[in-house]
Amino acid sequence: MGKALHTGVGGIDNSQLTILAPLRSASAARLDNSQFIINNSQFIIHNYNTPFRGLGGFQFTIFMKKPILIFALLAVIQVVGAQTFDDYFEDRTLRIDYIFSGNSREQHIAVDQLNVSPRWYGKRQRLADLPVEGNGQITVRSHRNGNVIYRNSFSSLFQEWLSDDESKSCTKAFENVFLVPFPKDTVDVTIDLRNNRREITTTLTHTVAPKDILIRHIGEHDITPFDVVQQAADTSRCIHIAYIAEGYTEKEMKTFLNDVKTANKAMFAHEPFKSMKNRFQVVAVKAPSKESGTSEPSKGIWKNTALHSHFDTFYMDRYLTTLHLKALHDWLAGIPYEHIIVLVNTDQYGGGGILNSYNLSMTHHKLFKPVVVHEFGHSFGGLGDEYAYEHEAIPMYPHDVEPWEPNITTLADFHGKWEHMIAPTTPIPTPPSDNLQQIGVYEGAGYSMKGVYRGAQDCRMRSNVRPEFCDVCREALTRLIKFYTGE
């Protein structure tokens, strides 16, 4: 962490010492209420996250049971701040399968299966930082000292379903799968779910021992065939995307590969992906289906496909998803991936995108290209929908709570979003005008005609007509790409 500043005298006979230290790593800021022992002296650290200006760091207070030399103490702080991926993790992936179940009144989380596969393809820097809040979070702590050593955020179909009227009258269970780096030592994993008021509704903490003989080994043989579609400049600091076939038979894999090329070309024609293309490694995974197409329950059509996708999710005819996340990740085991794009062999309009879960899109409809890019805005970028309905099918955003999504606001706490991009003379809220490039605060977003706002009059996250992301979404996506690639 470099040089530390402190109050108190060098002799350190004080019973308490306040340290100011530059913050250069996420692990340095994870010292809340931690205890550690040096030379038989015990320390308790708290007030770890009190910010101070000028050094970009944090302040914490140490209460000492016994006096100790200041440089010994600072040496410990130096070690904490210097923790890296290799301190805690192996170059392997721990895949944790969960079951989320319940109804609108109560929810439950259960561990289903632990799996390990070769190599880790996620972030290796800023391991304990979150670029977006999400509707849920997974946190990995060292079992030995309680330090947070990895975090990630997500959304899930289960949580979306909880906003549907059906959840008031029945109980359901949903598969969910999350990837974390494989720990060298025993860890405690906490997963929490949050409602649309950003409140934690249920949480589960469980312990994972890396030597557990029941951790299933996957991805070591019989790997699904795949092609490299796009090569990153530096595969050790890049974002890994896997396109996977759904509803394509063995004989249709050439069609799938052509669809991947179409989707990928559309994706990287959009900024900021276009100018940051060399930070993405892309593969096409040739998962064969027994039958061609996808299921359409409203028409009585059920197909035997690799991922068992179907339309009519939540009884909405255009909502095309898969609920079989374990099967999805089984097909991908042993392949370099983190972000998933499922291409469905159908000409019917539909798709969906879920943060850090998957993006799913039809391929043979005329709007295929804008839809697959739009859904990647959800699944990768955590962007919210900017369109609105006269009557909301699912009320998603309470007007007195600020959404965590970076491109929409209720103005409940707009500070820190895109206010720096708005001209001083622009009124808030902003009335529509002929200047489609003007950044403002336009009413109508997040499925609601009133009380939820977006940054531009049109955007890829609002319509299939606009050929690009608005400046607000571009900035959010750029920030995220830099986060994942260690810039």
Side-chain angles (χ1 to χ4, degrees), residues 211-366:
K211 294 182 180 180
D212 185 345
I213 61 171
L214 295 182
I215 297 178
R216 183 172 67 118
H217 286 245
I218 59 176
E220 297 174 351
H221 50 77
D222 298 325
I223 296 170
T224 310
F226 69 95
D227 292 351
V228 176
V229 175
Q230 180 175 305
Q231 186 74 37
D234 181 356
T235 56
S236 67
R237 299 169 70 92
C238 72
I239 296 164
H240 289 272
I241 298 174
Y243 289 91
I244 184 169
E246 165 62 347
Y248 295 83
T249 63
E250 289 276 14
K251 294 180 179 179
E252 294 175 309
M253 282 304 154
K254 184 176 180 181
T255 301
F256 166 65
L257 293 176
N258 286 333
D259 292 341
V260 169
K261 291 177 183 177
T262 299
N264 207 54
K265 183 177 180 180
M267 184 85 67
F268 289 95
H270 287 70
E271 290 290 0
F273 301 116
K274 182 178 181 179
S275 58
M276 306 178 88
K277 183 177 180 179
N278 66 353
R279 303 189 188 207
F280 290 84
Q281 179 88 359
V282 182
V283 299
V285 183
K286 295 177 278 190
S289 291
K290 298 290 186 182
E291 295 182 89
S292 180
T294 186
S295 296
E296 300 177 61
S298 63
K299 298 178 182 178
I301 299 172
W302 291 93
K303 297 289 186 76
N304 184 6
T305 59
L307 304 178
H308 308 288
S309 65
H310 63 81
F311 284 94
D312 303 298
T313 305
F314 307 152
Y315 301 96
M316 294 187 285
D317 57 355
R318 298 191 309 181
Y319 204 179
L320 175 61
T321 68
T322 178
L323 303 179
H324 296 259
L325 271 68
K326 290 167 63 176
L328 171 61
H329 286 267
D330 283 345
W331 284 110
L332 293 168
I335 292 171
Y337 80 100
E338 183 182 21
H339 299 280
I340 304 167
I341 301 176
V342 181
L343 297 187
V344 184
N345 185 18
T346 179
D347 60 4
Q348 300 298 308
Y349 182 85
I354 306 160
L355 175 65
N356 288 331
S357 182
Y358 65 79
N359 159 7
L360 188 148
S361 173
M362 81 295 178
T363 52
H364 300 140
H365 187 277
K366 63 181 181 180

Side-chain angles (χ1 to χ4, degrees), residues 142-154:
S142 166
H143 185 72
R144 208 157 32 88
N145 57 32
N147 286 349
V148 174
I149 57 176
Y150 179 85
R151 284 201 305 167
N152 205 1
S153 57
F154 61 87

Side-chain angles (χ1 to χ4, degrees), residues 113-147:
Q113 175 72 51
L114 301 179
N115 314 269
V116 59
S117 61
R119 302 296 308 276
W120 167 249
Y121 297 104
K123 63 179 180 176
R124 290 175 177 264
Q125 304 86 24
R126 302 176 68 178
L127 296 171
D129 291 354
L130 290 178
V132 292
E133 182 179 297
N135 292 324
Q137 295 178 9
I138 185 165
T139 303
V140 181
R141 291 181 173 84
S142 166
H143 185 72
R144 208 157 32 88
N145 57 32
N147 286 349

